[in-house]
Amino acid sequence: MKYSLFFLLALAGIICCQTGCRNQAVNTSFNPFDYSIQKTISCTNGAVVSAHPLASKAGVMMLEQGGNAVDAAIATQLALAVVYPGAGNLGGGGFMVARLKDGKTIALDYREKAPSAASRDMYLDSAGNPVMRLSQHGHLSAGVPGTVAGLFASMKYASLPFPELIQPAIDLAEKGFTITAAEASALNHTQEAFRQYNTSKIIFIKHEGWKPGDTLVQTDLSETLKRMRDKGQKGFYEGETARLIVSEMKKANGIISPDDLKNYEAKERKPVEFTYKGHTIISMPLPSSGGIILQQCLKIIENREIGKMGFLSAPAVQLMTEAERRAYADRAEFMGDEDFVKVPVHTLTSDAYLTKRMSDYVAGKAGNSQFVKPGNINPESEETTHLSVADKWGNVVAVTTTLNGGYGSKTVVSGAGFLLNNEMDDFSAKPGVPNMYGALGTEANAIEPNKRMLSSMTPTIVLKDNDPYLVVGTPGGTTIPTSVFQTIVNIIDFGLSASDAVNKPKFHHQWMPDEIFIEKDFPAGVTDSLKEMGYTISSRGSIGRTELIKIEKDKTGEGYILEAVADKRGDDSAEGY
Ligand code: DON
């Protein structure tokens, strides 16, 4: 689609979907200056749920043009890089899990990697103490970006030409869009950091502050996107964009080199696949810990009749907490990039091992993580983003992508207009010292040149009777696998609606610190019961922003009914037709 047509589609208003949608008016307009958020829709032709309405719309536009779920996922990610700069990205990394209509399953790894000049102790001071400022902010915190390589690697499964998929993003960057209240607030909260970690004036800095409804135009970013459109992957990892990244690095002790960029490769991995109560779960393998943690947690509870205990009952929360505690202890000890370290994945996920892991579990009595050092969870805003897509042919795609912290390193590549990640903090800067999510790690996740840092991102697909059933994922740092775990159990075991499964209160335990984190609306009575069992409970801000599509066969058995739910916790929006 040429952008003139894209802007022809910019018709404000609500158009009632003619063929696909039940009961709801679906907003298929595409006016970047006048749009609204939809939390749930039900459709038959295709659906996209993402962190921003304009990005979801960009994806649906591709579906309407005959593209498949992979086309929509690519267009949505590119649009997120423009309209959701806190987490959508070109300068970060991510994972795609997909299941195609022919049954093929895919796990695509485009996680950032450590630059070749990185070294194990690069964030330690002369006394051997980690300097978190260096791993969490500014030029040195950035890993080699993987997202653009991931987008081009997923083109193998797309059906529309890349120039069409990238055009909405180019238009949104070049002509601008109005920002939401949440974006204005997030930008305002980051002004000081933007000033501190940039060497030139950047578009996100606004002296008088951002207001909801302000227009954000990103000219440099639109030129970067055009170089990708015209030159493909080389338009980012070589030539002008690569030159701009390397010259940015040189301004403040960054170490990403031209060869790091040129040699970056996305990798297809074997997905984590296992069964849970007759369903097939497909999720992300290492270098994400997400799929393994999800498998451990689900397998631990599978034969314990959790459904009968009841949703958010104290016994159910306790059982899930104890599963989470054990999975996160294993994460800290064993998990890292399998291309560099040997990880006993088979043992960690075997029935015998998991049965043994629970041999000291006592219903009604809190377990103990043998607290050595309390984890130190940084209150800084967390930003990653997930999108779920389903098309009318039965292709389903789950993508989680991130800059790590909100607006990543806070450093924009001058002249190229995009933020760099601060993903190096996901390595274990020093064994036994928690990172910004309080996650502990050991040698398995120590820094090595070209190694990928351990992630928690858990893009996941669930099949029922060998047909797509759920597409799910979320941001949230270490809380990601537990949110996905809870969303799946909420549906399969507790029989919650898709909307309740996403929006009801969540909780989280990650072994260290030995506390159950709960959202503010977590029921007080359950909190009291858990305290009586011996648990320490900490109330925190929202947990995750889960994007879910639930898929059911229609009456003919030929087509699908897609119920898409965008998390209430943000600007997230479900679109479809
Ligand atoms: O890969 C990871 O696990 C983290 N970098 C994800 C960070 C994250 O989810 C922040 N967001 N809410």
Side-chain angles (χ1 to χ4, degrees):
M1 154 158 313
K2 297 284 175 291
Y3 69 76
S4 52
L5 182 50
F6 162 63
F7 270 87
L8 273 183
L9 281 171
L11 307 167
I14 304 289
I15 300 171
C16 199
C17 200
Q18 289 171 346
T19 49
C21 303
R22 294 184 312 168
N23 304 330
Q24 279 104 339
V26 171
N27 187 348
T28 58
S29 70
F30 205 136
N31 183 345
F33 305 102
D34 182 13
Y35 56 88
S36 56
I37 289 169
Q38 298 185 115
K39 288 302 180 189
T40 61
I41 58 155
S42 179
C43 285
T44 57
N45 288 315
V48 179
V49 204
S50 82
H52 198 287
L54 293 173
S56 299
K57 283 171 193 292
V60 169
M61 203 162 99
M62 299 306 142
L63 295 173
E64 285 175 323
Q65 285 168 220
N68 62 29
V70 178
D71 292 298
I74 294 169
T76 303
Q77 281 176 88
L78 286 161
L80 280 170
V82 181
V83 298
Y84 192 53
N89 66 83
L90 299 181
F95 301 118
M96 177 183 92
V97 170
R99 196 224 193 212
L100 305 183
K101 62 180 182 209
D102 63 4
K104 180 176 171 57
T105 55
I106 302 160
L108 186 61
D109 162 8
Y110 42 102
R111 181 71 162 165
E112 301 91 327
K113 63 174 190 173
S116 48
S119 57
R120 191 181 184 282
D121 297 336
M122 64 188 277
Y123 298 114
L124 304 188
D125 63 15
S126 53
N129 298 315
V131 184
M132 291 311 188
R133 186 180 53 76
L134 293 180
S135 66
Q136 293 180 3
H137 301 285
H139 300 63
L140 196 59
S141 67
V144 182
T147 292
V148 175
L151 294 173
F152 283 103
S154 43
M155 281 303 290
K156 183 168 149 194
Y157 304 105
S159 65
L160 297 176
F162 190 75
E164 276 186 38
L165 303 178
I166 200 171
Q167 196 59 49
I170 293 174
D171 290 328
L172 288 162
E174 194 167 44
K175 299 178 196 285
F177 65 98
T178 50
I179 63 168
T180 62
E183 188 65 56
S185 157
L187 285 169
N188 288 337
H189 276 103
T190 319
Q191 293 294 297
E192 185 49 41
F194 286 144
R195 286 197 182 88
Q196 202 176 339
Y197 297 109
N198 286 282
T199 50
S200 53
K201 168 118 181 61
I202 65 164
I203 197 73
F204 303 120
I205 295 179
K206 193 169 187 180
H207 180 65
E208 66 277 25
W210 291 92
K211 295 185 305 303
D214 280 352
T215 297
L216 178 60
V217 174
Q218 298 171 84
T219 311
D220 288 347
L221 179 59
S222 77
E223 294 304 314
T224 298
L225 291 164
K226 285 180 198 166
R227 286 191 288 275
M228 288 165 56
R229 177 194 63 194
D230 298 340
K231 300 199 170 110
Q233 184 163 333
K234 288 190 177 172
F236 183 88
Y237 289 100
E238 296 178 42
E240 179 63 3
T241 307
R243 188 189 68 74
L244 290 167
I245 296 173
V246 173
S247 108
E248 185 62 50
M249 286 292 119
K250 289 190 178 142
K251 287 182 190 165
N253 299 324
I255 54 172
I256 298 174
S257 71
D259 278 348
D260 289 334
L261 293 165
K262 197 168 161 189
N263 297 334
Y264 183 87
E265 280 180 343
K267 296 189 181 183
E268 280 205 25
R269 310 269 184 195
K270 191 174 168 307
V272 167
E273 290 194 38
F274 60 97
T275 58
Y276 178 69
K277 297 190 177 167
H279 299 75
T280 302
I281 315 281
I282 304 157
S283 193
M284 195 65 211
L286 295 167
S288 182
S289 59
I292 298 173
I293 293 176
L294 183 64
Q295 181 170 5
Q296 289 189 310
C297 287
L298 284 170
K299 284 299 186 186
I300 281 175
I301 69 161
E302 188 171 25
N303 296 320
R304 291 178 185 262
E305 305 211 77
I306 196 164
K308 286 192 186 148
M309 296 175 190
F311 170 66
L312 282 193
S313 65
V317 174
Q318 190 213 355
L319 176 58
M320 293 172 85
T321 293
E322 293 302 330
E324 291 171 8
R325 180 201 304 279
R326 286 157 177 79
Y328 278 84
D330 285 348
R331 179 196 197 275
E333 183 64 26
F334 301 112
M335 296 186 211
D337 180 351
E338 266 193 303
D339 292 348
F340 286 74
V341 289
K342 198 155 170 35
V343 181
V345 176
H346 182 71
T347 303
L348 289 174
T349 52
S350 73
D351 289 343
Y353 175 81
L354 293 172
T355 304
K356 206 162 151 218
R357 280 300 262 154
M358 287 297 275
S359 59
D360 55 352
Y361 165 75
V362 183
K365 185 166 181 290
N368 186 339
S369 295
Q370 295 190 340
F371 219 114
V372 182
K373 290 185 188 104
N376 174 19
I377 294 203
N378 193 323
E380 170 173 8
S381 96
E382 312 167 342
E383 287 301 339
T384 291
T385 190
H386 177 83
L387 55 115
S388 293
V389 187
D391 67 24
K392 63 183 170 194
W393 298 290
N395 300 300
V396 279
V397 179
V399 171
T400 316
T401 177
T402 187
L403 287 168
N404 196 20
Y407 303 97
S409 61
K410 320 289 192 287
T411 299
V412 172
V413 176
S414 305
F418 62 87
L419 283 149
L420 288 166
N421 66 82
N422 60 342
E423 218 74 59
M424 290 296 283
D425 191 63
D426 271 350
F427 278 118
S428 217
K430 182 176 181 180
V433 176
N435 73 359
M436 75 191 230
Y437 299 105
L440 293 175
T442 57
E443 280 310 316
N445 191 32
I447 304 171
E448 287 184 58
N450 300 312
K451 187 176 174 183
R452 297 178 188 215
M453 54 297 278
L454 186 63
S455 173
S456 301
M457 295 189 284
T458 316
T460 298
I461 287 160
V462 179
L463 309 180
K464 189 175 175 180
D465 303 326
N466 213 26
D467 266 315
Y469 178 49
L470 305 175
V471 191
V472 61
T474 178
T478 43
T479 68
I480 294 172
T482 51
S483 291
V484 172
F485 171 45
Q486 286 164 49
T487 306
I488 292 173
V489 172
N490 285 350
I491 291 179
I492 295 180
D493 294 280
F494 299 128
L496 261 56
S497 69
S499 178
D500 281 350
V502 166
N503 291 318
K504 291 277 183 187
K506 297 228 160 54
F507 57 94
H508 172 71
H509 195 292
Q510 62 177 46
W511 177 56
M512 296 281 200
D514 192 350
E515 292 170 30
I516 304 178
F517 294 94
I518 55 168
E519 289 191 299
K520 297 210 163 50
D521 51 351
F522 193 86
V526 181
T527 305
D528 292 343
S529 304
L530 292 165
K531 282 183 182 162
E532 274 164 31
M533 292 179 193
Y535 288 98
T536 303
I537 311 285
S538 295
S539 179
R540 53 157 279 170
S542 59
I543 297 183
R545 285 164 65 173
T546 302
E547 320 287 24
L548 174 72
I549 303 178
K550 185 173 170 206
I551 303 161
E552 240 122 25
K553 276 270 168 83
D554 69 8
K555 281 200 193 105
T556 68
E558 301 291 315
Y560 297 101
I561 296 167
L562 313 172
E563 189 183 356
V565 179
D567 200 306
K568 70 172 185 186
R569 296 168 180 86
D571 288 340
D572 309 48
S573 191
E575 305 286 333
Y577 81 113

